[in-house]
Amino acid sequence: QEQAMEMLQMWKDRHGLQASVHVMCEVLINVGCKAEAEEVFGQDTVKKVQSHMSDSDSGSDNPDRLLYELAEEVGVNWLELALDAGMRQHEISIIESEARIPEQQAWKMLCQWRAKIGIDFNIDEVRARLKILRQKRHNKLAKYLIFPEMIHDHKNLRGREAELEEMFKQFWGDLGESEMIAQFCLQVINGLGGIGKSAAASKYAALWKQRYGGGVFHFNGESYTSLQNSIRQNLRKLGLQFGKGSLMEENQIFLQHVYGTGNVLLVYDAADDLNLLVNILPSVTAHVHVLVTTRTCGDHPVLARADRITSLGRLPP
């Protein structure tokens, strides 16, 4: 037993946080020291570890692969989840210094969490905690279903009822049930300056905001700077931490958060230079509706990708 304890102490000194009781017990079993493991950790612990080892050997799912998939789900939410799990600030700082990409940070955090609690680590329970954390955040944001930037003077908008109805049908279909899951759809409103494009987009958001449980988000697309400022503003409102990265990096943090949080409406307003949107629009697999207002018409990749283009003309007097 003394030799076993000496070996375990060396193992702990070498591996630090990774040397959980269950890990060290598994090591003893693997090197043929089951009796020593029972003396040190007790028979119940050994039986539990052996059962876990047997499940891992016979199971079709690789634990590391499952953990990697979980890390991709966690993404930018890793810090919030780490704090909820009781991880200390110095541990978080080490993760941040060793990895920059959110998925890698999430992976390191989950590996440390799993190492600390051993076979009691349950991926389904982590997913449930992540869901609760996201729901709490969205409950706080309920009053922001439409952010102040979306409040254009749409109350005085007249004569666009037909266009708004067609936009609704393109997004949701003809059924109009209140309980529906959004499928990715991109619509563009174009026309001359001052024709009412922004007001029409705002009117649509105001009329059907309750369908977007994940939120309605506005982006000022006038320039690179205004677009990046809008992304940062939305990140702050969501309570997400971010470093000063590129527009692409910060946009990715935002999109990773909104994926899977419910129906979402993204409005890219005054995006006359559509080149700014080519690489930042969300994936077609997301439950997201996208509405772009622009003066641009003709051939462009964003317009080619659109499911519908509503061209606003001048209304009769």
Side-chain angles (χ1 to χ4, degrees):
Q1 185 175 356
E2 284 184 15
Q3 290 177 328
M5 288 301 294
E6 185 178 348
M7 186 272 290
L8 291 176
Q9 186 61 49
M10 290 174 62
W11 178 269
K12 184 175 185 298
D13 292 342
R14 178 176 296 179
H15 295 277
L17 290 173
Q18 305 300 319
S20 68
V21 168
H22 296 111
V23 170
M24 292 189 287
C25 184
E26 187 173 330
V27 170
L28 284 176
I29 294 171
N30 284 334
V31 297
C33 297
K34 178 182 174 183
E36 287 79 358
E38 290 177 341
E39 273 193 71
V40 176
F41 301 113
Q43 291 184 350
D44 290 342
T45 299
V46 171
K47 286 180 181 179
K48 197 173 182 181
V49 171
Q50 282 185 308
S51 176
H52 176 72
M53 292 168 65
S54 176
D55 291 342
S56 296
D57 291 339
S58 60
S60 58
D61 287 324
N62 182 284
D64 283 344
R65 182 180 65 79
L66 294 176
L67 197 68
Y68 181 77
E69 291 175 355
L70 178 60
E72 288 188 319
E73 291 180 39
V74 172
V76 296
N77 300 285
W78 76 269
L79 179 57
E80 191 174 10
L81 192 59
L83 293 172
D84 183 67
M87 192 166 287
R88 298 178 180 179
Q89 186 57 50
H90 76 273
E91 296 172 314
I92 293 171
S93 298
I94 291 173
I95 292 174
E96 290 177 326
S97 67
E98 292 179 345
R100 184 177 180 185
I101 299 173
E103 289 84 357
Q104 293 176 350
Q105 293 170 329
W107 165 259
K108 286 181 175 292
M109 180 273 293
L110 291 170
C111 285
Q112 286 197 20
W113 191 355
R114 181 178 63 178
K116 277 186 174 181
I117 64 176
I119 58 177
D120 291 327
F121 182 83
N122 186 292
I123 286 180
D124 290 333
E125 289 180 5
V126 175
R127 281 197 174 100
R129 291 173 77 164
L130 179 62
K131 185 177 181 180
I132 291 171
L133 289 173
R134 283 175 168 172
Q135 189 59 53
K136 285 181 178 178
R137 179 183 291 162
H138 282 291
N139 289 342
K140 291 179 181 178
L141 290 168
K143 62 181 178 180
Y144 294 125
L145 276 172
I146 289 191
F147 293 135
E149 295 86 348
M150 281 299 297
I151 308 301
H152 291 282
D153 190 16
H154 61 76
K155 293 180 181 179
N156 295 324
L157 183 69
R158 300 288 185 272
R160 300 297 186 188
E161 290 80 7
E163 288 91 340
L164 290 168
E165 183 177 353
E166 290 303 315
M167 287 163 54
F168 175 85
K169 287 182 179 179
Q170 185 66 49
F171 277 138
W172 297 103
D174 294 321
L175 298 178
E177 292 99 337
S178 59
E179 297 283 339
M180 291 186 70
I181 299 176
Q183 302 300 316
F184 179 84
C185 183
L186 166 62
Q187 295 198 57
V188 174
I189 305 173
N190 65 7
L192 299 174
I195 204 72
K197 302 182 294 297
S198 297
S202 182
K203 183 71 171 180
Y204 171 83
L207 287 172
W208 291 294
K209 64 181 180 180
Q210 297 302 329
R211 285 177 174 260
Y212 298 101
V216 177
F217 300 91
H218 174 268
F219 302 87
N220 184 341
E222 289 182 357
S223 66
Y224 181 99
T225 300
S226 64
L227 185 57
Q228 186 167 39
N229 287 339
S230 295
I231 293 171
R232 289 175 175 176
Q233 193 171 23
N234 284 320
L235 286 170
R236 292 189 191 99
K237 287 173 179 174
L238 290 170
L240 296 174
Q241 296 189 5
F242 61 96
K244 289 190 176 180
S246 68
L247 183 147
M248 291 280 293
E249 290 172 335
E250 292 170 358
N251 183 65
Q252 189 62 29
I253 293 174
F254 171 80
L255 292 180
Q256 284 177 334
H257 170 76
V258 300
Y259 285 171
T261 59
N263 299 335
V264 173
L265 176 64
L266 307 180
V267 180
Y268 296 91
D269 192 25
D272 295 335
D273 182 3
L274 291 176
N275 292 325
L276 294 173
L277 303 185
V278 171
N279 294 318
I280 71 166
L281 292 177
S283 166
V284 295
T285 61
H287 299 307
V288 176
H289 288 167
V290 179
L291 198 50
V292 177
T293 72
T294 181
R295 299 182 188 186
T296 303
C297 58
D299 295 331
H300 193 279
V302 172
L303 298 179
R305 187 181 169 188
D307 296 286
R308 176 183 174 81
I309 298 176
T310 300
S311 296
L312 297 185
R314 296 200 178 277
L315 294 170

